[in-house]
Amino acid sequence: MDPNPTTRITRVSTIQLLATLGIIVGVEAALSHVPAGALIQTGMARCLEIFLILALFYLSDTDKGAAAIGLSKNRVLHGLNKGIIWSLGFAGVSAIAGCLLFLAGINPVHFFHGRVPDRTLEVVLLYIVGGIIAPVAEEIFFRGVVYGYVKGRLATISRGWAVAAALLVSTGLFVAAHQTGSGVPLPQLVGGIVFCLSYEIEKSLITPMIIHSTGNMALFTLSFF
């Protein structure tokens, strides 16, 4: 038994997983025809999904609330502090890798370059929606719900295999959701692995949320160069 129950990730039930999927599908379908720009539409959808999924977990288990998806109240500050540390470490490793690629005659910016809006208002929305709202929503689903569910289902067999399977499934789905071309989206692949590891080690979903958010903002900024 875990000697410190506050650091344990509580299981996500099958009903909670299916209900979460239903929320996402329903919200996406309901807002798909809203007469608004893509960023505003995405922001509205993600905000509604965050609210409904958190409400689902609080209402379905009033004792633990959102602790099942790594959002225990007594781990918020820990997750925030660790998120900053992980982000700095991730940035340092990425900078070293970028320098090595540059010395090898490869421009590392090309690996992360994306399209950025031309209008100032859209740039601001990009940082708000893509840099804050979307990372929170995606971490709740991919790491909180999917990772938590797979790990919980397999935990009775082997903790090591449960963690590995949960990492593969959640990262695979995360990469597939961001697939836009024929190649593998490297930032999402590396990021998905880091997000899972940080969640597993720190036992707080706040940590991958911070890493995901700062990573997205860094990618947006690099896209201007």
Side-chain angles (χ1 to χ4, degrees):
M1 180 177 294
D2 190 341
N4 186 0
T6 63
T7 64
R8 186 177 66 247
I9 297 179
T10 311
R11 282 187 178 184
V12 174
S13 71
T14 301
I15 293 177
Q16 289 171 328
L17 172 67
L18 294 176
T20 299
L21 291 172
I23 287 172
I24 294 174
V25 171
V27 169
E28 295 296 329
L31 297 182
S32 61
H33 301 296
V34 172
L39 283 172
I40 294 178
Q41 190 179 87
T42 299
M44 291 172 59
R46 298 297 174 269
C47 285
L48 187 54
E49 288 163 3
I50 291 169
F51 173 78
L52 292 176
I53 294 172
L54 291 180
L56 165 69
F57 278 88
Y58 276 111
L59 294 176
S60 61
D61 193 339
T62 54
D63 291 331
K64 298 183 178 66
I69 52 175
L71 291 174
S72 175
K73 293 179 181 178
N74 59 2
R75 301 288 292 176
V76 171
L77 185 59
H78 171 85
L80 178 61
N81 291 334
K82 292 298 183 179
I84 295 172
I85 294 173
W86 275 77
S87 296
L88 292 173
F90 193 25
V93 172
S94 299
I96 293 172
C99 290
L100 292 175
L101 288 172
F102 185 79
L103 292 174
I106 302 173
N107 186 353
V109 176
H110 290 316
F111 290 99
F112 310 106
H113 195 275
R115 190 188 70 83
V116 292
D118 297 324
R119 298 171 57 189
T120 302
L121 178 59
E122 291 180 342
V123 171
V124 174
L125 285 173
L126 176 66
Y127 277 86
I128 294 175
V129 175
I132 301 175
I133 299 174
V136 171
E138 290 178 358
E139 289 310 309
I140 288 175
F141 177 67
F142 290 107
R143 256 60 63 179
V145 178
V146 175
Y147 182 91
Y149 176 78
V150 176
K151 181 185 174 184
R153 293 303 99 187
L154 300 177
T156 55
I157 301 174
S158 169
R159 185 179 182 278
W161 281 108
V163 170
L167 186 151
L168 288 174
V169 173
S170 60
T171 301
L173 291 175
F174 181 65
V175 170
H178 292 82
Q179 186 72 43
T180 57
S182 57
V184 176
L186 184 60
Q188 284 74 27
L189 176 60
V190 175
I193 295 172
V194 172
F195 303 152
C196 285
L197 292 177
S198 68
Y199 180 36
E200 176 61 32
I201 293 171
E202 307 302 343
K203 300 297 186 290
S204 173
L205 198 65
I206 301 297
T207 300
M209 282 180 179
I210 297 296
I211 306 170
H212 194 160
S213 178
T214 55
N216 277 13
M217 291 187 180
L219 290 177
F220 298 155
T221 303
L222 286 173
S223 295
F224 286 98
F225 296 96

